[in-house]
Amino acid sequence: MNYIILDMEWNQAVNPSKLVRSPVLLHGEVIQIGAVKTDESFNYIDRIKINIRPKFYKQMNPHVEKITGITSLQLTAGETFPQAFRRFAEWCGNEFRFITWGFDDVGVLADNLTLHGLDPSFGSDYINLQLIYNRQVKSEHLQCALSTAAETLDIPLDVQVHDALNDALLTYEVCKKLNMTLGLAEYSEYAAAVPTLLFKDAVNNVDDPKKMLYDRRVTCFKCPKCGGTLSLRQWVFSSGKACKTIGVCEKCEEGIFSLKLKASMISEGNFTVLRTVFAATKQDVSAFEEKLKKREERKRKIAENAGKKRTEEHNEKNGDV
């Protein structure tokens, strides 16, 4: 079996109103694939880089253009996604496993495959090298930047990052600095601690994220296992547009899930809410309970302080000592 160290660049909609929502909510359209092929001992075999002509997000998002250096004109010279994928899949061969830096690449690849009527499970059994790096280097950040990891491991950054092939080569250099034999042997343990995405969809035409919890389209969740309606705990906001809670299915044994909402503005007074459901671990439930406890404690202190202030104002007004 070979390892395919994969990196991709993708373009995003210039205007949120142009966001593709069917058959998938397309956050990124792949415009470049870069990969390095190694054997089981991580000996270098080959490399590949393919530029892709987008079908939906044809104009480069200014932010993406700035970090990648890829222009809209350059995109017109690329292959179509189906052409690029067929060539890439043939290059990968039959026996391989992806290694990526982070969780995003394989998910974005699956969305693009679905978009073009291709098999979204291609390469879905992959290794997120960040998890091995975090364990062996004892990084405090789950999503450490590739450039930061390279700097920590004394790998020279003498190429342009955010080029798919350059980043794949840089990821390969990180592999060579780590104990991959140990990392791969323990990987299932690392991955088990990471929440598994079970469901994702989006609700359109939400007029105010502050009121989205009153919208049944947003808050009604079905169990990913049996289809029953989930019973939800209180929602806890991490920002004005994002919140999470725990959902329980009374029909399923151990049917406990972590639910998240994130609102994105499409236009003035018009939001789309991304809804995701993850398998919840005991640690997730404990962390949620702790957040609820802290929130209630803050409310109690605020109420106590308000009560004290009212008492002081009353005493001052009535001349009480």
Side-chain angles (χ1 to χ4, degrees), residues 185-246:
E186 297 179 340
Y187 185 75
S188 59
E189 175 189 343
Y190 309 157
V194 178
T196 301
L197 178 64
L198 301 174
F199 171 81
K200 178 175 71 173
D201 75 352
V203 175
N204 300 321
N205 301 318
V206 176
D207 58 5
D208 186 352
K210 294 180 181 178
K211 299 178 182 179
M212 64 183 174
L213 298 185
Y214 298 101
D215 190 332
R216 287 285 296 169
R217 298 176 303 154
V218 174
T219 59
C220 182
F221 282 85
K222 299 294 183 181
C223 174
K225 295 181 179 180
C226 73
T229 301
L230 295 182
S231 180
L232 308 185
R233 300 287 303 279
Q234 299 177 57
W235 288 95
V236 177
F237 278 84
S238 56
S239 71
K241 298 179 182 178
C243 58
K244 62 174 60 176
T245 190
I246 294 294

Side-chain angles (χ1 to χ4, degrees), residues 89-283:
E90 183 178 348
W91 178 83
C92 288
N94 296 323
E95 298 292 332
F96 72 91
R97 193 174 187 186
F98 281 148
I99 293 179
T100 66
W101 186 260
F103 294 104
D104 294 337
D105 289 84
V106 173
V108 169
L109 177 60
D111 286 345
N112 280 256
L113 289 169
T114 299
L115 193 67
H116 291 275
L118 300 169
D119 182 7
S121 66
F122 180 82
S124 57
D125 179 23
Y126 70 102
I127 300 291
N128 176 3
L129 189 64
Q130 280 184 343
L131 301 184
I132 298 175
Y133 170 85
N134 289 347
R135 177 65 66 93
Q136 295 187 7
V137 182
K138 298 193 172 25
S139 171
E140 297 179 356
H141 305 288
L142 177 61
Q143 295 183 314
C144 170
L146 177 59
S147 57
T148 300
E151 184 179 355
T152 301
L153 296 173
D154 295 322
I155 299 171
L157 280 171
D158 53 3
V159 295
Q160 177 193 343
V161 294
H162 295 298
D163 170 274
L165 179 56
N166 287 345
D167 284 357
L169 288 165
L170 197 57
T171 305
Y172 176 48
E173 293 300 320
V174 172
C175 283
K176 293 195 293 184
K177 291 280 189 175
L178 300 174
N179 184 339
M180 292 302 293
T181 301
L182 176 63
L184 293 171
E186 297 179 340
Y187 185 75
S188 59
E189 175 189 343
Y190 309 157
V194 178
T196 301
L197 178 64
L198 301 174
F199 171 81
K200 178 175 71 173
D201 75 352
V203 175
N204 300 321
N205 301 318
V206 176
D207 58 5
D208 186 352
K210 294 180 181 178
K211 299 178 182 179
M212 64 183 174
L213 298 185
Y214 298 101
D215 190 332
R216 287 285 296 169
R217 298 176 303 154
V218 174
T219 59
C220 182
F221 282 85
K222 299 294 183 181
C223 174
K225 295 181 179 180
C226 73
T229 301
L230 295 182
S231 180
L232 308 185
R233 300 287 303 279
Q234 299 177 57
W235 288 95
V236 177
F237 278 84
S238 56
S239 71
K241 298 179 182 178
C243 58
K244 62 174 60 176
T245 190
I246 294 294
V248 178
C249 180
E250 297 178 356
K251 294 182 180 180
C252 293
E253 293 184 4
E254 301 181 1
I256 304 176
F257 307 94
S258 177
L259 284 56
K260 297 182 181 180
L261 302 176
K262 184 176 182 181
S264 299
M265 187 171 72
I266 302 302
S267 59
E268 189 65 33
N270 184 16
F271 292 80
T272 288
V273 179
L274 178 65
R275 312 188 321 149
T276 50
V277 178
F278 298 84
T281 64
K282 291 182 179 179
Q283 290 81 0

